[in-house]
């Protein structure tokens, strides 16, 4: 097999992580770029040496030279493009979240089953962090015992990116969809992906995008508009699983918090671990509690390395060397959780899953 010819659909900010990672993989040729903004598509194609660029993804998908695609578009187009790409015989890496609705998730899953010879990998990039992989090996070997509780917090004091991130129609939601998907999935993955039993969630729209704030910079989307914001500021939830385990989570785009913070922990009956802000493993030996710090290159999530690992894994799956650790079925379950939190908040009550 020669080099895998890859196309990137959507040339916005997150695409840079895909382009750079593909560039660093010797098994890949960056063959094409697609973006609604044709000038941006052309610029990215020139930057990464891609011989072709497209304005419409439909035109790209009929190109028989394309083996695989990365989908880095707005969330509301993930389902449409993923299904079309699979049906066109392409392997697919789709950025998180998988889509906007549970119904869309089922449609993608159906397309993946109908095209079983093609890979559909969901971009849960934190699964590929070195700290996650090291901790997963400890959990899989039984060192922490049964994981029965986890908690995750990803707080931005001032960090609504605006633009499509703040447009519910295009994004599907705010910090829950953008940030919560990462930390919830990470905990769920490390807990062994148990089935959800019930969810009690809350969302708040109290502060808006706080565009009045001065002297503190934050990331802004290319289409940032301070007057437009239709997503939540904050979401929190408690998720109960059929095996008795539970997960608590809170995430924000903006909050009257002292500073930005991320904290992710899991707890078992033999030990526990902090994954963020840095990996620490807590166990007992000789009736003494031990805090252990693994000697690894990065104790926190390294975005560059995480994306490189994710892309390398995807290419390995495309070549048939292994199966993805981030399959479509996990994307479906994560959509059930995320939409369940929104539904619980709207109803003002806990919701149950059968």
């Amino acid at each position: 097999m020669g080099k895998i010819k890859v196309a990137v659909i959507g040339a916005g900010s997150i695409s840079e992580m895909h382009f750079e990672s593909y560039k660093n993989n010797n098994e890949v040729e960056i063959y094409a770029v697609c973006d609604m903004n044709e000038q941006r598509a052309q610029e990215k194609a020139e930057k990464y040496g891609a011989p072709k660029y497209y304005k419409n993804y439909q035109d790209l998908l009929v190109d028989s030279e394309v083996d695989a695609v990365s989908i880095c578009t707005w969330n509301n187009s993930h389902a449409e493009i993923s299904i079309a790409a699979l049906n066109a015989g392409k392997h697919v890496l789709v950025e998180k979240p998988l889509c906007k609705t549970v119904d869309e998730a089922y449609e993608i899953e159906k397309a993946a089953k109908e095209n079983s010879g093609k890979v559909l990998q969901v971009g849960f990039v934190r699964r590929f962090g070195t700290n996650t992989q090291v901790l997963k090996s400890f959990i899989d070997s039984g060192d922490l015992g049964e994981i029965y509780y986890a908690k995750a917090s990803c707080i931005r004091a001032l960090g609504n990116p605006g633009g499509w991130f703040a447009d519910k129609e295009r994004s599907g939601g705010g910090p829950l969809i953008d940030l919560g998907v990462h930390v919830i999935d990470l905990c769920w993955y490390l807990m062994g992906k148990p089935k959800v039993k019930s969810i009690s969630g809350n969302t708040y729209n109290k502060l808006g995008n706080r565009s009045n704030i001065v002297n503190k910079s934050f990331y802004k989307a290319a289409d940032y508009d301070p007057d437009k914001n239709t997503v939540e500021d904050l979401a929190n939830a408690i998720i109960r699983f059929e095996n008795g385990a539970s997960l608590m989570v809170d995430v924000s785009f903006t909050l009257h918090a002292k500073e930005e913070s991320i904290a992710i922990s899991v707890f078992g009956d033999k030990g526990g671990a902090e994954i963020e802000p840095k990996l620490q493993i807590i166990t007992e030996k000789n009736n003494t509690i031990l805090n252990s710090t693994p000697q690894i290159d990065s104790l926190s999530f390294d975005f560059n390395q995480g994306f490189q690992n994710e892309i390398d894994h995807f290419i390995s799956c495309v070549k048939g060397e292994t199966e993805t650790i981030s399959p479509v079925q996990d994307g479906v379950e994560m959509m059930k959780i995320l939409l369940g939190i929104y539904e619980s908040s709207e109803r003002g009550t806990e919701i149950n899953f059968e």
Side-chain angles (χ1 to χ4, degrees):
M1 179 182 289
K3 288 192 174 185
I4 305 299
K5 293 184 177 180
V6 171
V8 176
I9 303 175
S13 57
I14 197 64
S15 72
E16 279 293 305
M17 304 302 295
H18 290 249
F19 280 119
E20 288 294 326
S21 299
Y22 283 128
K23 184 182 74 172
N24 293 332
N25 187 305
N26 293 328
E27 304 293 331
V28 169
E29 175 189 344
I30 300 175
Y31 179 78
V33 182
C34 179
D35 196 275
M36 292 188 298
N37 182 328
E38 191 171 10
Q39 180 180 347
R40 183 162 67 175
Q42 181 179 7
E43 290 172 351
K44 284 292 177 71
E46 291 174 353
K47 179 178 179 179
Y48 289 99
K52 293 189 177 182
Y53 64 90
Y54 297 88
K55 184 176 180 180
N56 301 308
Y57 77 83
Q58 295 94 337
D59 295 334
L60 182 150
L61 294 180
V62 299
D63 190 331
S64 61
E65 290 294 311
V66 175
D67 298 310
V69 298
S70 268
I71 299 173
C72 303
T73 56
W74 297 334
N75 299 344
N76 64 342
S77 63
H78 285 185
E80 174 187 321
I81 301 174
S82 294
I83 292 169
L86 288 167
N87 290 336
K90 316 302 184 186
H91 301 279
V92 176
L93 171 56
V94 56
E95 263 297 338
K96 60 77 193 170
L98 177 60
C99 49
K100 271 184 63 179
T101 71
V102 174
D103 286 342
E104 286 181 342
Y106 282 131
E107 288 299 314
I108 299 172
E109 184 179 33
K110 178 183 176 184
K113 288 179 179 177
E114 291 173 348
N115 298 278
S116 58
K118 301 302 173 182
V119 176
L120 188 290
Q121 181 171 308
V122 187
F124 295 134
V125 69
R126 282 187 175 268
R127 294 188 181 192
F128 296 91
T130 303
N131 57 344
T132 301
Q133 294 177 339
V134 169
L135 178 56
K136 184 75 161 53
S137 69
F138 277 79
I139 292 173
D140 289 348
S141 65
D143 290 331
L144 273 61
E146 176 192 356
I147 307 299
Y148 59 89
Y149 177 50
K151 59 180 181 179
S153 180
C154 186
I155 299 298
R156 289 181 184 172
L158 181 71
N160 185 327
W164 76 270
F165 289 96
D167 179 0
K168 190 173 182 179
E169 177 59 32
R170 287 181 286 171
S171 65
L176 180 60
I177 285 284
D178 187 44
L179 308 175
V181 62
H182 280 306
V183 297
I184 294 171
D185 174 72
L186 181 54
C187 290
W188 181 64
Y189 174 65
L190 291 171
M191 295 172 85
K193 302 191 291 190
K195 288 188 176 181
V196 179
K197 180 179 181 181
S198 66
I199 294 175
S200 182
N202 303 282
T203 61
Y204 297 91
N205 301 70
K206 298 289 187 181
L207 304 180
N209 61 16
R210 300 175 74 190
S211 58
N212 60 297
I213 299 297
V214 296
N215 303 319
K216 182 175 173 62
S217 59
F218 61 95
Y219 168 73
K220 296 178 181 178
D223 58 343
Y224 179 82
D225 185 337
D227 297 322
K228 294 182 179 180
N229 180 64
T230 56
V231 299
E232 77 276 6
D233 309 326
L234 167 75
N236 61 41
I238 181 166
I239 304 163
R240 294 183 176 87
F241 300 99
E242 289 185 356
N243 64 356
S246 60
L247 165 62
M248 291 184 66
V249 60
D250 64 348
V251 291
S252 73
F253 268 170
T254 185
L255 188 69
H256 287 306
K258 184 179 70 171
E259 59 189 3
E260 282 65 34
S261 64
I262 182 169
I264 306 171
S265 302
V266 296
F267 304 91
D269 56 8
K270 292 183 179 179
E274 291 184 356
I275 312 163
E276 297 289 351
K278 62 180 182 179
L279 181 59
Q280 289 254 306
I281 297 172
I282 300 91
T283 55
E284 291 182 27
K285 190 170 184 180
N286 298 328
N287 301 318
T288 300
I289 297 174
L290 300 177
N291 295 342
S292 304
T293 303
Q295 294 190 27
I296 59 178
D297 289 337
S298 181
L299 292 169
S300 298
F301 179 66
D302 182 321
F303 279 89
N304 292 329
Q305 189 60 54
F307 270 95
Q308 190 66 59
N309 292 345
E310 178 184 50
I311 294 296
D312 291 348
H313 179 72
F314 176 57
I315 296 302
S316 182
C317 293
V318 168
K319 295 177 66 179
E321 297 171 347
T322 188
E323 293 186 4
T324 181
I325 65 168
S326 191
V328 64
Q329 293 83 1
D330 290 6
V332 173
E333 291 303 307
M334 195 50 47
M335 291 311 301
K336 290 180 182 178
I337 293 174
L338 296 172
L339 273 294
I341 295 172
Y342 282 128
E343 182 181 348
S344 173
S345 178
E346 290 172 4
R347 291 187 180 186
T349 186
E350 183 177 70
I351 62 169
N352 296 289
F353 293 76
E354 295 182 355

